[in-house]
């Protein structure tokens, strides 16, 4: 076994040396080389086709990654809109429904791009490496054929020293080298033009699928945005009518009639119920009504209407002013109330430390303590993600991922992180918006 393996290595090295010598002599013009102009043209077309396919595959991979980034950004944006759009506003439920419709359109769009455009493109591009290997093999067999041809010609060039045995052996080697070369050459003369011609049909089919998916997505998403615009227009109309405006305290407490003052005082100061009968009494006195209810805390009677009116108005204004100050103080007190730390963080996006009874603090940001070497922080998956490329990471909801630095910082993309799943040691890129920091 050792001898046969050594013999095989020696034979291989001899072939490489013979080919190198033959190419060297051909480059110097010492010997001729077999020319095939038609094949050279096929090879040039093949090279251009392979370059175009490789570039298209690269750019489309980048395009899909950008689409996924916009998809994640769109979801985050709609989630924030649903959060800040108050429940009593018009179209609150419709806004949520349209946000879900938009998310479904994004998912359908990205799946079509991956399954119906990228996969066929990858299959198309995978033909070129195998074809390139066959072209390279044909080149080596051509050098072998030329080398045997030159060796045979050398044996025949000197009739006086001609060794018939060597000539016969040389002829056999030449015929074998020619047969191997011509078989490969003939196959490539058929396969290269066929592959080159297939580019048109593939490109048409691939682009039709791409543009159709784009057209459907944008047309359907335009309908969703039209509905969202209508919801916001209705909100604007309601706002202009004052449906959601808060009454100004100074305006609501400005006395326009005794009844208005009475209602104000009753609602804000229940202890002063004695003022309502006073106002009723003053009104009754003005119309000549002598009902017993016209008594004003013993301060006015049916024979002193003018005094009753004067005392009632004075009483109302005094109590109204007092209640104005009370309401203002109450509003100021409310403004100065302590907001929960979590609410402050939600409103202003400011990390807040929450203090517990035992004196410990819990930061709402990512924890960086007690992490293995090379781990920046840990995140937990909030959504399921299936990878669309070999360098990406798939995960289920709830799985923990350790975030690490990119091997090459230039490969880092906006909105994407590099990480390793805990317990599985699977490494790859993943969208940051599908996770939350721990």
């Amino acid at each position: 076994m050792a001898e046969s393996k050594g013999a095989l290595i020696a034979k291989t090295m001899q072939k490489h040396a013979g080919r190198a010598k033959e190419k060297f002599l051909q480059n110097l013009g010492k010997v001729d080389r077999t020319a095939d102009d038609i094949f050279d043209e096929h090879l040039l077309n093949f090279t251009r086709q392979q370059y175009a396919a490789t570039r298209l595959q690269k750019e489309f991979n980048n395009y899909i990654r950008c689409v996924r980034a916009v998809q994640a950004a769109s979801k985050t944006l709609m989630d924030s809109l649903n959060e800040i759009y108050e429940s009593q506003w018009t179209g609150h439920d419709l806004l949520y429904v349209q946000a879900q419709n938009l998310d479904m359109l994004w998912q359908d769009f990205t799946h079509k791009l991956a399954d119906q455009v990228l996969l066929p493109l990858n299959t198309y591009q995978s033909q070129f490496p195998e074809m390139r290997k066959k072209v390279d093999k044909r080149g080596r067999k051509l050098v072998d054929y030329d080398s045997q041809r030159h060796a045979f010609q050398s044996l025949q060039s000197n009739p006086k020293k001609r060794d018939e045995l060597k000539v016969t052996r040389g002829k056999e080697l030449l015929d074998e080298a020619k047969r191997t070369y011509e078989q490969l050459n003939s196959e490539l003369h058929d396969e290269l033009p066929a592959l080159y011609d297939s580019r048109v049909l593939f490109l048409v089919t691939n682009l039709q699928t791409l543009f159709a998916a784009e057209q459907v997505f944008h047309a359907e998403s335009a309908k969703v945005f039209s509905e969202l615009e209508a919801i916001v227009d209705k909100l604007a109309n309601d706002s202009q009518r004052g449906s959601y405006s808060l009454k100004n305290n100074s305006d609501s407490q400005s006395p326009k009639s005794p009844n208005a003052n009475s209602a104000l005082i009753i609602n804000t100061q229940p202890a002063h119920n004695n003022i309502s009968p006073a106002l009723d009494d003053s009104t009754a006195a003005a119309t000549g009504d002598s009902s017993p209810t016209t008594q004003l805390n013993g301060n006015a009677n049916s024979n002193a209407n003018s005094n009753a009116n004067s005392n009632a108005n004075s009483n109302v204004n005094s109590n109204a002013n007092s209640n104005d100050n009370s309401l203002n103080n109450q509003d100021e007190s409310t403004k100065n109330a302590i907001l929960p730390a979590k609410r402050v963080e939600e409103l202003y996006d400011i990390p807040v430390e929450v203090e517990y009874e035992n004196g410990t603090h819990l930061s709402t940001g990512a924890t960086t303590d007690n992490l293995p070497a090379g781990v920046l922080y840990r995140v937990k998956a909030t959504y399921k993600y299936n990878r669309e490329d070999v360098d990406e990471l798939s995960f289920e909801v709830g799985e923990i991922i350790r975030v690490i630095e990119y091997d090459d910082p230039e490969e880092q993309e906006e909105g994407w992180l590099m990480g390793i799943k805990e317990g599985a040691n699977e490494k790859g890129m993943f969208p940051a918006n599908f996770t939350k920091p721990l």
Side-chain angles (χ1 to χ4, degrees):
M1 180 66 68
E3 294 181 358
S4 60
K5 184 177 180 180
L8 180 61
I9 294 176
K11 184 177 180 181
T12 301
M13 293 181 63
Q14 184 179 3
K15 281 186 177 180
H16 287 309
R19 288 169 183 164
K21 178 181 178 181
E22 181 67 21
K23 288 181 179 180
F24 180 74
L25 293 175
Q26 288 178 351
N27 293 333
L28 292 177
K30 300 295 184 179
V31 295
D32 63 339
R33 75 175 66 182
T34 301
D36 190 338
D37 295 337
I38 297 178
F39 178 83
D40 292 341
E41 182 178 354
H42 292 333
L43 182 58
L44 182 62
N45 291 335
F46 168 78
T47 302
R48 287 198 297 258
Q49 184 184 9
Q50 183 180 18
Y51 171 78
T54 302
R55 180 178 179 182
L56 183 61
Q57 183 188 41
K58 175 183 177 181
E59 296 302 331
F60 193 75
N61 270 308
N62 182 59
Y63 178 73
I64 286 187
R65 288 184 176 180
C66 293
V67 169
R68 290 174 186 157
V70 177
Q71 177 188 6
S74 174
K75 179 174 176 57
T76 303
L77 173 62
M78 296 310 298
D79 287 346
S80 66
L81 290 179
N82 278 313
E83 182 179 348
I84 68 174
Y85 201 95
E86 299 180 13
S87 59
Q88 71 272 20
W89 290 355
T90 182
H92 176 268
D93 294 337
L94 291 177
L95 179 70
Y96 175 80
V97 171
Q98 294 302 333
Q100 296 301 309
N101 291 339
L102 185 61
D103 186 49
M104 291 176 61
L105 288 174
W106 273 111
Q107 292 182 16
D108 182 66
F109 180 50
T110 53
H111 287 159
K112 283 184 178 179
L113 292 182
D115 296 340
Q116 301 179 21
V117 180
L118 183 59
L119 285 182
L121 178 58
N122 291 340
T123 302
Y124 172 74
Q125 202 276 339
S126 66
Q127 302 174 89
F128 296 99
E130 293 299 322
M131 189 65 71
R132 176 63 66 180
K133 291 180 181 179
K134 197 168 185 178
V135 169
D136 293 341
K137 183 177 180 180
R138 180 255 184 198
R140 294 192 297 272
K141 296 305 178 182
L142 175 58
V143 173
D144 292 342
Y145 167 64
D146 284 338
S147 178
Q148 293 297 334
R149 181 166 56 86
H150 296 145
F152 182 71
Q153 290 173 352
S154 178
L155 291 174
Q156 290 183 320
S157 62
N158 192 351
K160 295 182 180 180
K161 298 182 178 180
R162 180 170 178 169
D163 187 338
E164 292 300 331
L165 184 60
K166 290 184 179 180
V167 171
T168 302
R169 178 58 181 164
K171 184 66 168 60
E172 292 176 355
L173 294 175
L174 175 60
D175 291 341
E176 182 181 356
K178 182 179 181 180
R179 184 169 53 255
T180 303
Y181 160 70
E182 288 183 344
Q183 181 180 355
L184 276 173
N185 189 57
S186 177
E187 291 176 359
L188 289 172
H189 268 272
D190 294 335
E191 294 173 0
L192 287 177
L195 178 60
Y196 186 67
D197 292 342
S198 69
R199 76 194 190 285
V200 179
L201 181 59
F202 164 76
L203 194 62
V204 168
T205 304
N206 203 253
L207 293 182
Q208 282 178 339
T209 305
L210 169 62
F211 297 152
E214 292 275 1
Q215 189 273 334
V216 170
F217 169 73
H218 291 293
E220 294 299 322
S221 61
K223 296 178 183 178
V224 172
F225 284 114
S226 178
E227 294 293 334
L228 292 173
E229 183 181 14
I231 293 172
V232 177
D233 287 343
K234 183 66 167 59
L235 178 64
N237 293 335
D238 289 351
S239 177
Q240 290 175 358
R241 290 196 297 267
S243 301
Y244 309 112
S245 299
L246 293 176
K247 300 296 184 181
N248 191 308
N249 287 338
S250 60
D251 293 340
S252 64
Q253 296 172 7
S254 177
K256 297 181 180 179
S257 67
N259 288 333
N261 287 326
S262 176
L264 174 66
I265 296 172
I266 290 172
N267 289 333
T268 58
Q269 298 288 341
H272 297 280
N273 289 336
N274 59 333
I275 295 178
S276 180
L279 295 181
D280 292 340
D281 179 57
S282 64
T283 305
T287 59
D289 189 358
S290 59
S291 172
T293 59
T294 57
Q295 297 300 320
L296 182 62
N297 291 333
N299 294 328
N301 54 56
S302 58
N303 296 325
N305 288 333
S306 60
N307 288 334
N309 290 333
S310 174
N311 288 333
N313 289 333
S314 175
N315 233 358
V316 168
N317 289 332
S318 175
N319 280 285
N321 290 333
S322 175
N323 281 284
D324 283 344
N325 293 331
S326 177
L327 289 175
N328 290 334
N329 291 335
Q330 183 178 0
D331 291 341
E332 193 64 30
S333 176
T334 302
K335 292 178 183 178
N336 293 330
I338 298 174
L339 291 174
K342 182 62 178 176
R343 183 59 178 158
V344 173
E345 183 182 38
E346 291 175 352
L347 287 174
Y348 305 107
D349 194 22
I350 300 175
V352 177
E353 287 189 349
V354 181
E355 182 170 337
Y356 293 91
E357 294 181 357
N358 59 4
T360 60
H361 289 74
L362 175 62
S363 175
T364 59
T367 301
T368 58
D369 297 331
N370 302 322
L371 294 177
V375 178
L376 303 178
Y377 55 95
R378 300 163 68 240
V379 296
K380 182 177 181 180
T382 54
Y383 301 95
K384 178 181 178 180
Y385 180 73
N386 293 322
R387 69 178 189 180
E388 301 286 354
D389 208 342
V390 293
D391 59 348
E392 295 179 6
L393 189 64
S394 297
F395 48 78
E396 301 289 336
V397 175
E399 289 194 278
I400 307 301
I401 304 172
R402 297 178 178 180
V403 179
I404 61 175
E405 294 184 354
Y406 279 73
D407 296 335
D408 184 358
E410 295 183 356
E411 295 180 358
Q412 185 168 358
E413 297 181 12
E414 184 69 18
W416 288 75
L417 300 173
M418 178 66 70
I420 301 175
K421 281 202 302 185
E422 287 191 355
N425 291 328
E426 297 177 14
K427 177 181 176 183
M429 299 168 53
F430 62 94
N433 289 330
F434 279 60
T435 63
K436 67 177 181 180
L438 295 177

